[in-house]
Amino acid sequence: MKVWVAVLGAAGLAGAARWVAGRLSAVTVSGDSMEPALSDGDRVLVWRSRFSRLSVGDIVVACVPTVARVPALADRSWLIKRVAALPGDPVPAAVAKAVEGDETVPPDRLVLLSDNAEGSVDSRRFGYAYGDLVLGLVVRRLSPGR
């Protein structure tokens, strides 16, 4: 009986470890758009999370919303940005021009902004990001950049 408990316990731990490992990704920051929070070359740990679990202020990794509208991003597919507004929230004034007069953020969309707005590409340029294009939440800096 004790052997079975040990085997089942070990199998449960292995399964849990595999589940956690499948939900974590290490990502390297490219560029200075998130300074001072994150710098070029920083390695961060990203927890694959559902869009519905995000909060304003979270830093996320998301797929570029529409490469065609942002030619400067043609060679990139991912962005690291801070969540500025979620569905139902008022549209931040800085983004109002890019979203054509909406008063609140529509369902399944969010506003992503850079901490360092100077020359950054974020919702001020591309408008809303789709919630289903969020890879996950940055949970920790693993190593500093250059």
Side-chain angles (χ1 to χ4, degrees), residues 60-127:
V60 297
V61 174
C63 187
V64 172
T66 311
V67 175
R69 287 183 57 199
V70 187
L73 295 177
D75 62 336
R76 293 188 185 168
S77 56
W78 297 99
L79 297 172
I80 296 181
K81 302 294 176 198
R82 189 173 303 277
V83 176
L86 294 166
D89 288 348
V91 172
V95 181
K97 276 199 296 189
V99 297
E100 302 170 10
D102 290 346
E103 291 184 21
T104 60
V105 178
D108 301 323
R109 307 285 194 290
L110 66 157
V111 175
L112 300 176
L113 295 179
S114 305
D115 285 359
N116 178 10
E118 190 77 24
S120 294
V121 176
D122 58 21
S123 286
R124 288 175 272 245
R125 290 206 33 210
F126 57 70

Side-chain angles (χ1 to χ4, degrees), residues 3-137:
V3 171
W4 280 107
V5 170
V7 168
L8 290 175
L13 286 176
R18 203 171 332 189
W19 180 81
V20 167
R23 299 192 54 88
L24 292 171
S25 297
V27 174
T28 302
V29 176
S30 176
D32 61 358
S33 71
M34 287 304 294
E35 286 187 351
L38 299 172
S39 299
D40 186 45
D42 282 355
R43 298 269 301 156
V44 295
L45 190 61
V46 177
W47 177 260
R48 293 178 190 229
S49 179
R50 293 182 183 183
F51 163 63
S52 62
R53 296 192 179 202
L54 298 178
S55 299
V56 170
D58 287 343
I59 298 176
V60 297
V61 174
C63 187
V64 172
T66 311
V67 175
R69 287 183 57 199
V70 187
L73 295 177
D75 62 336
R76 293 188 185 168
S77 56
W78 297 99
L79 297 172
I80 296 181
K81 302 294 176 198
R82 189 173 303 277
V83 176
L86 294 166
D89 288 348
V91 172
V95 181
K97 276 199 296 189
V99 297
E100 302 170 10
D102 290 346
E103 291 184 21
T104 60
V105 178
D108 301 323
R109 307 285 194 290
L110 66 157
V111 175
L112 300 176
L113 295 179
S114 305
D115 285 359
N116 178 10
E118 190 77 24
S120 294
V121 176
D122 58 21
S123 286
R124 288 175 272 245
R125 290 206 33 210
F126 57 70
Y128 301 119
Y130 288 87
D132 60 354
L133 297 180
V134 172
L135 171 71
L137 174 68

